[in-house]
Amino acid sequence: SAAATAAAGVAPPVSARVGEPPRSRDDRGTTIAAAAAVSVTPAAAEASVRAEFASFANGTGGAPAESGFRLKAAGALAEDGRAGAPFAANSRNLVDALPKHWSGPSGPGPATESHLDEKARRHDLFLRFLAEAAGVWTVVAPAEREAVLEHGELVAALLCVRALHNEAAEASEADDAEAEDGALAVLREAAAAAGVALQAHDAAVRDRPAAEVCYSRATGG
């Protein structure tokens, strides 16, 4: 009996509800942890990463270790796959963000470089957030870490292509060698073809010049 157990100096087993079979304290703790894990969803995990990064970027997130603790509590660091890939999803959203103000009807202009520069800056900040949020980067799955790094490389590549585009355009305006005119034509055709391919499955950019779309969707998704 419980009285005999207590008299023997042993605490009686703990039941969560009246009428339930007795459970040990360890079993109850395991049950609570399991229930919390069940509530993890990719959408919730992604939202927690987005909120923590926004706080970090604004300087309102508190100590980095606290951010890492909150991400873990929200399930963003779940190792069973139920959280999806919340860090890669946020990384992709950063590099695929559409500009607040599009360029003119003629297509990419100075605003294109500014937008790409801002994406590169934000993605670098996101990497710093992952590194400084204690324990986060080291426990993110290798495939997800690779995807995050790849997103940054894609933005850097677009910046390089855009720089070549500008150089070829300047050479063409200066009436330099015909080879320069050919290079400009190739770059324009390539950017336009990539933009058309993106527009085929992205309704948000179908009314924009194709070349501009190419420079707006870094991952091509």
Side-chain angles (χ1 to χ4, degrees):
S1 68
T5 303
V10 180
V14 178
S15 293
R17 298 183 186 87
V18 175
E20 282 192 352
R23 288 200 304 264
S24 70
R25 285 187 171 82
D26 289 343
D27 287 343
R28 195 173 96 171
T30 301
T31 302
I32 293 172
V38 170
S39 67
V40 176
T41 65
E46 186 177 336
S48 70
V49 174
R50 182 167 56 251
E52 289 298 328
F53 174 58
S55 296
F56 176 83
N58 295 331
T60 59
E66 295 176 4
S67 179
F69 178 81
R70 288 191 295 268
L71 288 170
K72 185 174 183 179
L77 301 173
E79 297 178 358
D80 55 12
R82 274 178 287 187
F87 299 99
N90 275 273
S91 170
R92 179 171 182 163
N93 289 339
L94 287 173
V95 301
D96 279 349
L98 297 176
K100 294 179 180 178
H101 304 288
W102 292 92
S103 301
S106 60
T112 301
E113 286 84 43
S114 297
H115 188 222
L116 285 171
D117 284 335
E118 175 62 12
K119 284 185 176 186
R121 187 192 70 78
R122 291 283 293 177
H123 195 267
D124 285 345
L125 186 63
F126 185 66
L127 288 174
R128 202 177 76 180
F129 160 69
L130 295 181
E132 293 185 7
V136 170
W137 182 252
T138 56
V139 298
V140 172
E144 189 171 6
R145 289 201 303 265
E146 183 178 342
V148 171
L149 294 174
E150 182 181 349
H151 295 158
E153 292 169 356
L154 287 170
V155 173
L158 279 180
L159 277 167
C160 289
V161 172
R162 184 60 193 166
L164 290 172
H165 196 152
N166 289 341
E167 290 174 8
E170 291 172 3
S172 178
E173 291 174 1
D175 293 324
D176 281 351
E178 293 183 1
E180 295 292 342
D181 293 336
L184 178 59
V186 168
L187 286 167
R188 282 177 173 166
E189 290 174 8
V196 168
L198 289 170
Q199 288 172 323
H201 57 83
D202 191 343
V205 295
R206 284 179 187 159
D207 61 342
R208 301 307 311 165
E212 188 173 25
V213 173
C214 169
Y215 291 113
S216 298
R217 295 295 203 197
T219 67

